[in-house]
Structure formats: structure tokens, C-alpha cells
Amino acid sequence: MATSDPSKRPRPGPRPPAPESTAMPPSSWAKRTGFRPKFSGETTASDSSQIVSASKPKEPQTPLDLESGRAKLPVSSVNGEQAENNRLPVPPVATVTEKEKDQSVKRRRDSDGGGAPKTTFVTANGQATAVAPSHHHPRRHSREEAADVLPQTVDDNRFVSRHSHMKYDLRDTPGLVPIGLYGLQHYVSMLGSIILIPLVIVPAMGGSQEDMAMVVSTVMFVSGMTTLLHTSFGTRLPLIQGPSFVYLAPALAIIHSPEFLRLNGNNFKHIMKQLQGAIIIASAVQSFLGYSGLMSLILRFINPVVVAPTVAAVGLSFYSYGFPQVGYCLEIGVLQILLVIVFSLYLRKISVFGLRIFLIYAVPLGLAITWAAAFLLTETGVYNYKGCDVNIPPSNILSKHCAKHISRMKHCRVDTSQALKAAPWIRFPYPLQWGTPVFHLKMVIIMCVVSIISSVDSVGSYHASSLLVASRPPTPGVLSRGIGLEGISSVLAGLWGTGTGSTTLTENVHTIAVTKMGSRRAVQLGACVLIILSLVGKVGGFIASIPQVMVAALLCFMWAMLAALGLSNLRYSEAGSSRNIIIVGLSLFFSLSVPAYFQQYGITPNSNSSVPSYFQPYIVASHGPINTTYEGVNYVMNTLLSFHMVIAFLVAAVLDNTVPGSRQERGVYVWSDSKAVEREPAVAKDYELPFRIGRIFRWVKWVGL
């Protein structure tokens, strides 16, 4: 029985500690009202590339991460808003005394204006917070967190100055031999992005193998020339310019216009002149948007949630061409795809002489091995069929036995192309080599819209590459200057006749991250080598002789990479936010479904068409659902609404700019400003024009620093 004597009652133990609050960071509405919820699904992400001096630290909170099941990482204050470093914990911010500042001035670097490196943690969108080394043992990070961190250093003014994860930064010039080797490596790793588009559009135009070799040489020449221009007078970032996949779908749509389908014979030069006219006018409009400063206004509506589905839709839009072409010779095409996958994924960590050759050279290595295997099969007679000749047109073949195997012989054999033999040893590409361009308003309008989509793609590439190689992201003026010069580059591509515009290749970001080479000089030297190779006609002939099955297999990999690179832009926003998930999901779904409606409208099943099945999506102008009394309006609307990237851009841009969301949630791009240029000499050295040209145009604020 319990006693009532108070002196004999057992004393209670110590009170258990109260659980820590798991309140999530407040949303924009909560910031205004002061409301702090106890539970929320919202998170915060960095929205800025602005880097500010450290302030007095606040008591860190540890919100709950619903996806990983563990406590979220501490949050630091940047620009007065909550910016979360979602990869590494942020220790208490160190304060800088006057004595420390005096000591840091003595250690300042002569080139970057920086000092001795200190520990920093960089957020996903380019923000950095300088911190003091922590003496306690941090928690063990997961493998994924450690793998994605890009370590950087901070100078004495607490600004990002150098990138320790890069072998060579933007302004490094280690010597002629290293620069030459790394420049060649950079271009070889991006070989597929430069040369594959001509191998698709020239046969579609009815061009011969000699025409294909000439276009390949022209593309190499223009790519080298425009890369030199962009790295010297554009953004000055180490970005290779070339024929972008953004221009491939509109080029195929123009090639398959109704007026061209009724023509007989070799229509290559006639169609090429139409493409040249449309590209020249549209590129002039793009250049005007850049140099007039209007691009700076458009930038307000271009954010990661818009860029990601737009670029991804470019890669996903060619699914009807990829594997159907591979199916003509499965053993060769599938071998090509498997080799590239094995090299880029399973063998990516194997290093030879300090280089991850399988990851860097996955495309050229896979192509070389597959080509060698196809050559052995051809020479051993695997694809020989008695009494059959691959050079005889299919319409003239009477034997059922030969008619059955002629397609296999044509696509599997490697000796069917005469491009290498027909190509001259020396050939200099020159402007208007196909004739005087022809201008049609309806085709110009289509290319104008596509040039805007290309600019959206370039904006994402500028931002991502600058975080890798430069001290800061460029200013809006530098970005406008880059878009303006891309317009001039595309005008040059139209004059020389490459069939597409010249723009920043999206694959640049992946190549820079893999090769760890961000030197501007290396890219410029590689561009000079590319120009020299373009003058050797046999090089273009050799590339043009790549079998179409191998080209399609490589494109399957390249388009998949392009879609993945587009979606990777979501890392600058809150990828787990329900708002962003719905916007991206709707953009991708409608980018596939709406064009399918336009492409399938009015087509009867099993109809006999002279256009191959993999090019059927591009003849929508002749049978689309929009049918007004104005033929030009029908052509423009049916064609534009059949482009996957246009639908993705429209849906994403409208939703992202109308649906409420915080800047952190949207991952809004914030570019450097003029104050950063005055405060940091490294920024001016990264982006200023050479030969003091920038001083002449200082009054043009919207295209400079």
C-alpha cells in the first residue's frame, strides 16, 4: 500500500529534454506575417549567385527532410533570405577583425585580387558562404552528398575566386603543349554534337555523298570560326559553338514542306538556299535582341523551371528517328549503343595516365570499335548475297531474293559510301557556295521562334558553365552580348550554308565538368585546329562515310544526354517542390502529346507516302488541323505547334511566371551586377573584352560589364 508520508516518496528523475522544433523555413507569405508552422512540406533552395560578406550568425534550426528521413542541413542567410546549402553543413560563420583584414591584404593574389583560400560551401545556384574551420567532428555525409559537391575557395573579401576542382580555370595559360592537348580532347569529346546533324539533314534534302562531305567540312569551319568569335567577343566563356539540335526539327520541317515534296530529282541546293534565307533573317533578329538590351528584359522570365523542360523536350522529340533507324541493322546499331553505355557508365572511373578516357571519349571510342567490327563483317562476306548489288536502285531490282536483302546490305556494309573517294584533298568553304539565299516569310517566322528557344538553351549553359570556371556568373550585359554574338554567328552559318544556326552547344557543361578543363585558350586553340581540319576535304569525306545506322545509334545516346542535361537545370531550384514537379510534368507531357495531335491529324492508317516513317512528324504543314483561308498562317501555326520544344517552353514559361512561388523555390537566376565588377577585379578580367574594346563601348551598359 502506498504511503502518504512525503519524506518517504521516491524523488522523480530529471525531466527528459524537450524535442527540438522541426518547424520548416517559412514561405514568402509566412515571412510577411511572421507565422512559423510546426510542420510543412516546403523547403528552401538558393536563388542567387550573389555572394555577400558574412554577418552575425543566428541560432541554426534543423528542419526535417521528408524524403531522406533525416534532419535537414543548417541554413545560412544570404541577401536577407534563407538560402540552404543542401549538400554540406554550414559551421558557424567566422567574423573578420580589422587585424585579420590587414593581414589578408598582404596575401592578396596579383591576378584575381584574392587571398589565401578559406573553407567555403557553395550552394546549388552559385552562392557561397565563407566559414571558419570547425574543430568538432562533423557528421558522416552520404556518398551522394560528397559526390556532387564542387569545392571552391574564397578570397579575403569572401568572394569565390578559384575552383580547386578544375585543372585549368578560365584565364589559365599553362603552356602551348598542355593547352593543345586539352583543347583537342575537348573537341574530340564533343565530336558527335558537331558532325552528326549534317549526316541527318543532307540525305533528307536528297543530297549526294559528295554534298554531305562538303556540308560536314563547312560545319567544322563555321564551328571553329564562331567559337573563336564567342570566346573573344561574346561571353568569353569556354563554350564551343556549333549546329544545335534545337535547329534540327525546324530544318526537317522546312525540308518536308509541301512545295518541296512535289519536286523531283536532287533538290539539295534548292532547299539549302531556302534554309539559308530563313536562318539569316531569324539570326539577325536574335542579334538585335541581344545587342539592343531586350534580352535583359526577357531574362526575367527565364528560370531553371523553364529551361529544364524546354531543353529536355529537344532531346525527347527525336524518338521517332533514333531506334527505327537502328533497326535496319540491329547487330551494328545495338553494339554501338551498348559500347557507349558501357564506356560512359560502367567504365567511367577507370583512369589511364590520369585521364578517364572511357568517360571523356565514350562516343569516339564506341564509334571506332563498332566501325571496325562492321568492317570485319563486311570483308568476311557476312553481308554478301549472291547476285545482288547494293548500287542498283531498289526500283530496278526484280529478284525477290535481292529485294529482301538489299536494305540490310545498304545499312550494314561499310563500303557502300563513296564520300571519301569523291571528296577532294583541299577545299576551302566560302560564303554563298550553294547559291543566293531565298527568303520566305513563313519560314523566317518559324526560325525566329526557334532562335528564341535557342537563346533560352544558351542562358542555362552560360549560368552552369560560369559556376564551373569563372569567379562569378556573368552580368546581364555580358549575357546579352553573348546572345547578340550568337545571332551574328548564326548569320555566318546561314551565309556559309550549314543548314542550321550556330549556337552554344548544351553538351559544353557536361564536357567541362568531366574533363576539368575550363581554359579559354584551350578552346580557342582547338577551334583553330578545327578550322585547319575543315580545309582538308578528305576529313569531311571520312566523317560523311559513317554508316547511317551508327549515326542513329550515336544520336540515341546524344539525344538522351541532351534530355538529361536539360532536366539537370532543376538542381538550381527546389526539385522536390510540388509546384515545380507539376509545372515540369505538365510541360513534358504536353510537349509530347500536343505535337502528336498535330502530327497525326488527317493521316489515314497504312497510307502510301513517299516520306519515310521516321520523317512523317515533319510533314504536318500539309495536313495539320489549323486550316484558315491564309495558307501562310496555316503553315506557321501547324508547324510551330508540332514542335515539342515550343510547347514545352510555352507551358513552362506561362506557369512558372504566373503560379506563386518564392525565389528560392523557383531557383531564380541572379546574375552579377556592376557593383560586383567594381568590387572584384577577377570578374572584370573574366568577362571584359580584349584589346580594351570594352572601354570604347562603356556607354552601352546593356551589353557590357
Side-chain angles (χ1 to χ4, degrees):
M1 184 177 69
T3 177
S4 61
D5 188 359
S7 62
K8 296 182 180 181
R9 292 180 182 175
R11 294 186 177 182
R15 183 182 297 274
E20 295 184 3
S21 174
T22 59
M24 303 300 292
S27 63
S28 57
W29 170 83
K31 290 179 183 177
R32 295 194 301 268
T33 60
F35 174 76
R36 297 188 63 84
K38 292 296 182 182
F39 183 82
S40 173
E42 291 187 17
T43 58
T44 56
S46 67
D47 69 310
S48 172
S49 57
Q50 302 289 341
I51 307 165
V52 297
S53 300
S55 59
K56 185 176 180 180
K58 294 184 179 181
E59 186 69 17
Q61 297 187 6
T62 310
L64 181 64
D65 189 337
L66 300 179
E67 296 183 359
S68 61
R70 59 173 181 266
K72 265 188 175 290
L73 305 178
V75 176
S76 61
S77 178
V78 180
N79 287 346
E81 297 180 341
Q82 295 295 329
E84 179 189 359
N85 181 347
N86 53 10
R87 288 182 172 86
L88 290 176
V90 179
V93 180
T95 58
V96 182
T97 63
E98 295 295 332
K99 183 179 180 180
E100 291 174 343
K101 289 182 178 179
D102 295 338
Q103 294 176 351
S104 66
V105 171
K106 298 178 182 180
R107 301 192 305 268
R108 189 173 303 277
R109 295 193 180 114
D110 55 351
S111 61
D112 289 343
K118 296 181 177 63
T119 305
T120 186
F121 299 95
V122 182
T123 61
N125 208 13
Q127 294 176 341
T129 303
V131 296
S134 177
H135 299 288
H136 62 80
H137 297 283
R139 69 174 180 86
R140 180 175 297 176
H141 306 295
S142 64
R143 184 178 304 173
E144 291 78 12
E145 291 173 327
D148 292 337
V149 173
L150 298 178
Q152 300 185 20
T153 56
V154 171
D155 62 13
D156 294 300
N157 288 331
R158 302 190 184 279
F159 300 118
V160 177
S161 59
R162 305 293 287 177
H163 302 262
S164 59
H165 62 284
M166 300 295 293
K167 293 181 180 178
Y168 297 110
D169 285 337
L170 184 61
R171 289 177 282 113
D172 286 344
T173 54
L176 183 61
V177 175
I179 282 181
L181 292 177
Y182 278 100
L184 182 62
Q185 165 189 289
H186 203 73
Y187 277 86
V188 171
S189 63
M190 296 186 64
L191 184 65
S193 303
I194 298 174
I195 66 171
L196 291 180
I197 289 183
L199 305 185
V200 176
I201 63 174
V202 174
M205 287 189 282
S208 64
Q209 294 172 346
E210 185 179 0
D211 294 332
M212 190 186 303
M214 294 169 64
V215 174
V216 169
S217 297
T218 303
V219 166
M220 295 171 61
F221 180 84
V222 173
S223 177
M225 179 174 54
T226 55
T227 300
L228 286 176
L229 288 175
H230 190 85
T231 53
S232 300
F233 306 105
T235 62
R236 307 212 69 198
L237 291 169
L239 300 175
I240 296 176
Q241 308 295 296
S244 173
F245 289 117
V246 175
Y247 286 92
L248 181 55
L252 291 174
I254 292 176
I255 291 170
H256 294 93
S257 297
E259 55 265 38
F260 301 147
L261 293 178
R262 293 188 290 265
L263 298 178
N264 297 321
N266 189 342
N267 306 321
F268 169 73
K269 289 188 177 181
H270 179 71
I271 299 176
M272 178 63 82
K273 290 186 289 186
Q274 307 279 343
L275 286 173
Q276 287 182 262
I279 291 171
I280 290 173
I281 301 300
S283 302
V285 173
Q286 182 185 16
S287 183
F288 173 77
L289 288 176
Y291 286 122
S292 66
L294 293 177
M295 195 64 205
S296 300
L297 302 178
I298 300 176
L299 279 178
R300 302 176 183 178
F301 307 101
I302 301 176
N303 296 306
V305 180
V306 179
V307 175
T310 303
V311 179
V314 176
L316 295 175
S317 61
F318 300 105
Y319 64 90
S320 63
Y321 180 88
F323 205 82
Q325 280 278 63
V326 174
Y328 285 115
C329 188
L330 281 173
E331 62 269 28
I332 300 299
V334 172
L335 175 63
Q336 174 79 83
I337 295 174
L338 291 178
L339 283 174
V340 177
I341 292 175
V342 169
F343 290 155
S344 60
L345 293 178
Y346 293 98
L347 304 181
R348 71 185 189 277
K349 294 186 178 180
I350 296 179
S351 298
V352 179
F353 301 110
L355 294 176
R356 294 186 177 183
I357 61 171
F358 294 107
L359 178 59
I360 297 174
Y361 305 119
V363 170
L365 280 176
L367 176 61
I369 295 175
T370 307
W371 208 343
F375 177 79
L376 292 176
L377 292 176
T378 302
E379 290 299 315
T380 55
V382 174
Y383 303 121
N384 290 340
Y385 296 94
K386 186 177 180 180
C388 301
D389 188 357
V390 72
N391 296 319
I392 299 177
S395 57
N396 297 338
I397 297 177
L398 301 179
S399 172
K400 293 183 179 180
H401 171 74
C402 292
K404 179 181 178 181
H405 297 99
I406 191 64
S407 176
R408 182 175 177 83
M409 293 176 63
K410 180 179 178 181
H411 291 90
C412 294
R413 296 179 65 92
V414 297
D415 58 354
T416 58
S417 175
Q418 304 298 322
L420 184 60
K421 295 180 180 179
W425 277 102
I426 301 296
R427 182 185 181 275
F428 188 83
Y430 56 92
L432 306 180
Q433 56 188 334
W434 314 117
T436 305
V438 179
F439 303 95
H440 281 291
L441 180 60
K442 59 182 181 181
M443 298 177 185
V444 168
I445 294 175
I446 290 175
M447 281 297 181
C448 286
V449 175
V450 173
S451 66
I452 296 176
I453 304 294
S454 172
S455 301
V456 173
D457 184 8
S458 297
V459 166
S461 298
Y462 293 165
H463 187 269
S465 61
S466 65
L467 296 182
L468 290 172
V469 302
S471 56
R472 271 179 178 263
T475 63
V478 172
L479 189 143
S480 297
R481 190 175 72 199
I483 297 299
L485 190 61
E486 281 193 14
I488 294 179
S489 300
S490 293
V491 170
L492 296 177
L495 290 173
W496 260 262
T498 62
T500 63
S502 182
T503 183
T504 299
L505 299 178
T506 311
E507 296 82 356
N508 274 293
V509 178
H510 175 260
T511 302
I512 292 173
V514 169
T515 60
K516 312 297 182 186
M517 197 286 301
S519 172
R520 179 192 300 143
R521 297 299 182 191
V523 173
Q524 291 174 336
L525 185 58
C528 295
V529 174
L530 193 67
I531 292 176
I532 295 174
L533 291 177
S534 69
L535 304 180
V536 182
K538 292 296 183 183
V539 174
F542 176 77
I543 294 173
S545 62
I546 300 176
Q548 286 293 313
V549 171
M550 298 183 194
V551 172
L554 289 178
L555 286 173
C556 288
F557 179 80
M558 300 300 299
W559 287 330
M561 279 290 300
L562 183 60
L565 287 172
L567 292 177
S568 69
N569 285 278
L570 291 175
R571 69 185 182 273
Y572 302 122
S573 65
E574 290 185 9
S577 166
S578 60
R579 172 192 181 274
N580 296 344
I581 289 175
I582 294 174
I583 291 176
V584 174
L586 288 174
S587 303
L588 289 177
F589 176 79
F590 284 116
S591 71
L592 297 175
S593 186
V594 173
Y597 166 71
F598 278 81
Q599 294 165 5
Q600 298 171 10
Y601 185 88
I603 294 182
T604 57
N606 302 323
S607 60
N608 295 324
S609 175
S610 59
V611 179
S613 59
Y614 45 82
F615 284 145
Q616 294 257 337
Y618 305 105
I619 61 173
V620 65
S622 60
H623 60 77
I626 298 179
N627 187 14
T628 65
T629 56
Y630 300 98
E631 183 180 351
V633 174
N634 300 340
Y635 180 91
V636 171
M637 296 304 297
N638 284 324
T639 303
L640 285 178
L641 295 179
S642 68
F643 292 159
H644 302 75
M645 56 187 174
V646 172
I647 301 298
F649 172 72
L650 292 176
V651 175
V654 170
L655 293 179
D656 184 54
N657 290 282
T658 56
V659 177
S662 64
R663 293 173 61 87
Q664 296 92 342
E665 187 177 20
R666 298 173 62 194
V668 175
Y669 290 137
V670 178
W671 309 93
S672 301
D673 53 17
S674 57
K675 295 181 180 179
V677 179
E678 298 173 357
R679 194 167 53 233
E680 302 174 72
V683 179
K685 291 183 178 181
D686 283 345
Y687 299 110
E688 66 181 357
L689 294 173
F691 313 118
R692 300 184 178 180
I693 296 177
R695 297 186 179 183
I696 304 176
F697 299 99
R698 277 185 176 179
W699 57 276
V700 191
K701 297 295 184 182
W702 54 84
V703 292
L705 294 174

